[in-house]
């Protein structure tokens, strides 16, 4: 299965070139997540009780994410990075021991619509807070800017699993899904004008 990186750039990378030593393989995470269906605020009612994720499956999803973050923490290049990753790891404990009935994560459509940061706007020392790999070290870097107040930037490959499962910015924990909602204001104005004409 192609990674989000390969799909976005329309490339197929060989296994050794696929990711840097600081990037983790989240194929198992996304495979399990795809069995859950899209994230929603309320669980979708089903006639078949086996059609929804069980607490065991939800806990397993958070455990996969936690394991990958722990792997990164073990090889963290700085104490600050290790502390940040350990904080994320600790925040997943509650979801593992008491799994939510539905994931709070964002949809794949939301992830796909995140603002991409142009390579020309990145500096040599800009790096991802999760993997700490400088963005420009990657020939086809895929950096996204979250719609949180801090406008935090991450490699899409790194932040995607967190957003799909938790639905918040990993740095400031601001909820994401509602931040990007677009209200069609122009349509409302046209309707108001039509109403005024009816009563004239």
């Amino acid at each position: 299965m192609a990674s989000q990186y390969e799909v976005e750039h329309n490339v197929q990378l060989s296994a050794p070139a696929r990711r840097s030593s600081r990037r983790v393989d989240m194929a198992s995470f996304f495979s399990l997540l795809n069995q859950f269906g899209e994230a929603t605020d309320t669980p979708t009612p089903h006639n078949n009780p086996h059609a929804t994720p069980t607490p065991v499956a939800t806990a397993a999803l958070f455990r996969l994410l936690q394991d990958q973050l722990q792997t990164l923490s073990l090889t963290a290049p700085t104490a600050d990075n290790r502390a940040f990753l350990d904080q994320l790891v600790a925040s997943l404990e509650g979801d593992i021991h008491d799994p939510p009935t539905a994931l709070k994560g964002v949809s794949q459509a939301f992830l796909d619509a995140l603002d991409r940061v142009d390579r020309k706007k990145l500096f040599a020392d800009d790096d991802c807070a999760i993997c700490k790999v400088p963005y420009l070290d990657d020939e086809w870097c895929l950096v996204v800017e979250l719609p949180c107040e801090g406008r935090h930037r991450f490699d899409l490959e790194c932040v995607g699993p967190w957003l799909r499962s938790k639905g918040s910015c990993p740095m400031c924990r601001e909820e994401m899904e509602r931040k990007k909602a677009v209200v069609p204001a122009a349509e409302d104005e046209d309707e108001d004008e039509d109403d005024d004409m009816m009563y004239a």
Side-chain angles (χ1 to χ4, degrees), residues 37 94 102 132 146:
K132 293 308 279 182
L146 302 187

Side-chain angles (χ1 to χ4, degrees), residues 26-154:
M26 296 302 291
S28 298
F29 172 90
F30 283 111
S31 177
L32 181 56
L33 182 68
N34 288 339
Q35 295 174 24
F36 290 9
E38 280 300 318
T40 58
D41 287 339
T42 56
T44 306
H46 291 279
N47 294 331
N48 179 353
H50 303 293
T52 57
T54 64
V56 171
T58 306
L61 184 79
F62 286 112
R63 174 64 72 191
L64 285 168
L65 179 57
Q66 188 184 52
D67 288 347
Q68 297 304 329
L69 292 171
Q70 283 175 326
T71 300
L72 286 175
S73 178
L74 292 173
T75 58
T78 66
D80 285 345
N81 180 239
R82 181 173 289 109
F84 173 63
L85 293 170
D86 289 345
Q87 181 185 25
L88 296 181
V89 165
S91 73
L92 292 168
E93 279 299 317
D95 294 314
I96 292 168
H97 295 297
D98 186 18
T101 55
L103 293 178
K104 297 178 189 174
V106 301
S107 65
Q108 184 62 45
F110 175 89
L111 213 60
D112 294 342
L114 283 174
D115 294 334
R116 276 33 177 183
V117 180
D118 191 323
R119 185 179 178 88
K120 295 172 187 166
K121 294 181 180 177
L122 298 170
F123 297 101
D125 59 346
D126 288 345
D127 60 19
C128 176
I130 296 172
C131 69
K132 293 308 279 182
V133 174
Y135 297 129
L136 296 178
D137 281 5
D138 187 341
E139 184 180 355
W140 296 295
C141 61
L142 185 51
V143 182
V144 293
E145 186 172 272
L146 302 187
C148 58
E149 199 168 311
R151 308 297 295 171
H152 295 119
R153 294 176 175 181
F154 301 90

